[in-house]
DNA sequence: CGCCAAATTGACCGAGCTCAAAACGAGTGG
DNA sequence: CCACTCGTTTTGAGCTCGGTCAATTTGGCG
């Protein structure tokens, strides 16, 4: 109980700025909404256990999945700007989230000068996530999108459980499809194709990455290892 | 000269917080880069005249267009979080941008409590733009994407030039395609189709919107008029 | 054991990509 | 003023990837 939202620190976001008073722990049943479009609660949330998706429902009733949120990650920042949520957040399983009230956050950030910069980085991170999503969607081939999706999930899972190659997907094939802009059948076929090629082993929602390098290659990503070696002028 | 970046106010972003000292006016030739990936300048930019695109180049040399930036709009916020740019900005025509140094911005925002909230809204706006882009890319039909794209541009153009229905696209068909995840030929065909249906009149990069309502209908957007009537509990 | 949701697999077909050619427009030089 | 060039846009003709429809299998749960 005493560590509360400090997992968020592990997510590279908050360096554990919440001692114990900050947030309540809210339980959510599978399929329950944490917030809906138009809600003006003024709070952000940290996922403790379980997982959520953020969705936008279009005029014609289609559901677009904008993102998935795993333990240790944040959601709800979309309300900071306009004051009310422009997306809906739905639990994918039994989930617990930690509530950080906007009030607390703002007063605290104006008090501590360092936190304000932290906050800026958090925003930057969400912006980067969105860009990454766009980057995936701009890829033409379904296989590439699926490989990129799995690779991204792998990185996020590895933040806690070190270098495990096991993924337990919290979302359905349909959700993946609505996130990647593909039909659910195409997602399923993509998984089986990767399995046939010996890149992954699929058993329902349990996925084991057999060949991370090959996965990266299919996703057209830099081979591995050192992220962003220092720019050239640093050498010599 | 004296109004400098105040057009940004017209874009709904800054309420003219820059008196005269803040930024230099930088000229850019068509095709020139304002910044590249890895640049660590620590500044944001306001478009004065012309237009730019922000792009990300993938491993295999493909160019993904992440956004277009018209006069009065901002770009370069991606460097705020990580400290260095993760995308490249290229001028689509002869362009002038106003530089707002990060230094100025931060010191000013910590001084004025109100500006910090403004800044938050600016971030929110860019996040919304990104979400909107995702939303477009998640649409399955090419026609919907193109209609949405045109409609979005129309709204942005109408911010300055009141209710004009003329668009002068600053970007090529190829750029549009790389923004929408479509082949350039598909974009061209989409335009001609809209023209055949009497929705728009196309002449190269000059586009006239003949039937805004029909355009919205094709883009699967709410009919028109009042954005977001108050939620139900406000009534009665 | 039966029920229902989720996932897989197959067959078909159409939207959109690719390749290719033509039309257009703007700038340049004779 | 015209001829020429180069980039952009349009249009055409095939073919493929992936969407759609449908049947089957799997797995969880009462």
């Amino acid at each position: 109980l005493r560590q509360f939202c400090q997992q968020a620190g592990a997510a590279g976001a908050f360096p554990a700025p919440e001692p114990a008073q900050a947030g309540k722990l809210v339980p959510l049943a599978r399929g329950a909404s944490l917030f809906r479009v138009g809600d003006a609660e003024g709070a952000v949330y940290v996922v403790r256990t379980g997982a959520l998706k953020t969705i936008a429902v279009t005029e014609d009733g289609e559901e677009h999945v904008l993102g998935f949120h795993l333990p240790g990650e944040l959601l709800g920042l979309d309300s900071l700007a306009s004051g009310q949520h422009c997306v809906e957040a739905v639990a994918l399983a039994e989930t617990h989230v930690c509530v950080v009230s906007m009030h607390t956050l703002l007063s605290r950030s104006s008090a501590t000068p360092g936190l304000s910069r932290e906050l800026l980085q958090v925003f930057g991170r969400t912006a980067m996530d969105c860009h990454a999503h766009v980057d995936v969607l701009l890829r033409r081939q379904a296989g590439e999108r699926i490989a990129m999706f799995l690779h991204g999930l792998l990185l996020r899972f590895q933040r806690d459980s070190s270098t495990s190659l096991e993924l337990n997907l919290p979302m359905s094939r349909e959700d993946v499809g609505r996130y990647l802009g593909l039909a659910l059948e195409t997602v399923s076929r993509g998984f089986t194709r990767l399995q046939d090629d010996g890149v992954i082993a699929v058993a329902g929602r349990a996925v084991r990455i057999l060949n991370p390098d090959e996965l990266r290659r299919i996703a057209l990503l830099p081979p591995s290892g050192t992220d962003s070696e220092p720019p050239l002028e640093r050498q010599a």
Side-chain angles (χ1 to χ4, degrees), chain A:
Chain A
L1 180 89
R2 64 184 173 283
Q3 65 173 6
F4 245 159
C5 309
Q6 300 186 350
Q7 283 183 316
F14 283 84
E18 317 296 338
Q21 56 81 30
K24 283 186 304 190
L25 207 54
V26 173
L28 286 166
R30 170 194 168 103
S33 291
L34 178 56
F35 52 80
R36 291 170 199 273
V37 177
D39 285 2
E41 305 164 31
V44 298
Y45 308 88
V46 183
V47 183
R48 280 273 295 167
T49 65
L52 301 99
K53 62 177 174 182
T54 44
I55 62 175
V57 179
T58 64
E59 286 300 302
D60 56 336
E62 290 270 319
E63 172 181 316
H64 288 180
V65 175
L66 298 175
F68 299 108
H69 307 272
L70 308 179
E73 299 177 345
L74 288 116
L75 73 162
L77 273 75
D78 61 299
S79 72
L80 289 201
S82 59
Q84 62 181 24
H85 288 287
C86 57
V87 297
E88 177 171 354
V90 178
L92 294 169
E94 281 67 46
T95 298
H96 291 255
V97 300
C98 176
V99 183
V100 181
S101 93
M102 180 51 27
H103 195 62
T104 310
L105 195 63
L106 277 185
S107 66
R108 202 174 278 260
S109 87
S110 58
T112 322
L115 183 58
S116 167
R117 205 183 48 209
E118 289 293 336
L119 201 56
L120 211 60
Q121 288 195 335
V122 170
F123 265 96
R125 169 170 287 270
T126 31
M128 298 284 273
D129 289 349
C130 195
H131 270 173
H133 193 187
V134 169
D135 214 62
V136 172
L137 291 174
L138 282 176
R139 311 216 167 243
R140 306 309 229 342
Q141 309 296 336
E144 296 180 26
R145 293 192 201 178
I146 293 167
M148 262 198 115
F149 173 73
L150 283 176
H151 184 257
L153 270 188
L154 180 63
L155 292 182
R156 288 158 74 184
F157 270 99
Q158 285 187 341
R159 268 207 291 260
D160 324 284
S161 46
S162 63
T163 52
S164 162
L165 292 174
E166 307 285 344
L167 298 182
N168 251 317
L169 308 185
M171 74 291 283
S172 68
R173 299 286 189 267
E174 183 165 22
D175 284 331
V176 176
R178 286 177 168 163
Y179 177 81
L180 294 179
L182 301 170
L184 67 93
E185 295 94 329
T186 306
V187 175
S188 182
R189 273 186 255 264
F191 278 23
T192 17
R193 174 134 233 280
L194 285 173
Q195 180 167 237
D196 292 345
D197 295 356
V199 183
I200 63 175
V202 186
R205 297 193 180 184
V207 176
R208 164 179 262 271
I209 312 293
L210 300 176
N211 194 339
D213 293 324
E214 179 65 4
L215 188 67
R216 265 185 291 270
R217 199 194 58 75
I218 296 174
L220 293 173
L221 289 172
S224 70
T226 70
D227 359 308
S228 69
E229 67 275 2
L232 293 178
E233 58 266 28
R234 297 284 295 278
Q235 316 200 175

